[in-house]
Amino acid sequence: MWISPKFKLLLIKEFERLKTLEQKQLGWNAKRELSKINYRIHTDAIKQNLIPIELTKEQINYIYAEEADVLNMALFGITAKEWRKKNPNLNGNIRDYANINELICLANLENLNSVFINDGLKQSERLERLNKIAISQIKILNNADIKYIKE
């Protein structure tokens, strides 16, 4: 680096670029982990309020998937099955490809849906309310002047 100032500058710029990219990825990972943790709150509400005592494991899994799709429909407008059909070459699920603002909103929706489930609201009513909330929150987050939320 002491021989070529041009190389030194190039090296510094590349290091800064990589650190910025790393920070962006860390922010996304943190939000994804937050939504996973909040999902536990959501699944506990489902377990306590929506799953009858005598069901098979397959029937129980169906209820959890159906409730996950309530959140997917409210936020993304598509079920997990529809997303996989439209994206056969992508690994993971729709939430793995969500941006930071969507993950923040998803974490909020999971919490709200658990409250709605505990309050005994019908699934159709929960979906309608969650969709209105998602639209409002995404607008706010996308218009927020907060650097680490923007992509």
Side-chain angles (χ1 to χ4, degrees), residues 15-29:
F15 178 77
E16 288 173 348
R17 185 188 71 79
L18 290 172
K19 290 306 280 180
T20 301
L21 186 64
E22 178 185 56
Q23 288 300 320
K24 188 175 183 181
Q25 185 63 33
L26 285 173
W28 185 90
N29 286 338

Side-chain angles (χ1 to χ4, degrees), residues 40-126:
R40 175 66 190 267
I41 296 167
H42 187 246
T43 57
D44 281 357
I46 294 166
K47 183 178 183 179
Q48 293 170 6
N49 297 284
L50 300 179
I51 298 181
I53 296 171
E54 295 182 17
L55 288 182
T56 66
K57 187 175 182 176
E58 185 177 289
Q59 290 169 320
I60 290 170
N61 288 339
Y62 178 79
I63 292 171
Y64 283 120
E66 191 176 56
E67 287 302 318
D69 275 336
V70 167
L71 299 173
N72 290 337
M73 286 297 296
L75 180 58
F76 303 112
I78 191 170
T79 66
K81 185 176 182 178
E82 292 168 338
W83 183 85
R84 280 190 304 277
K85 188 175 179 180
K86 288 183 177 184
N87 299 283
N89 298 327
L90 296 178
N91 295 325
N93 63 54
I94 191 170
R95 296 166 187 217
D96 293 324
Y97 294 91
N99 65 40
I100 290 172
N101 291 345
E102 290 167 335
L103 291 174
I104 292 169
C105 185
L106 180 61
N108 294 337
L109 295 180
E110 286 169 340
N111 285 322
L112 288 168
N113 197 37
S114 68
V115 171
F116 295 161
I117 289 169
N118 288 328
D119 288 347
L121 296 180
K122 293 179 187 176
Q123 189 180 72
S124 59
E125 187 178 348
R126 288 187 281 118

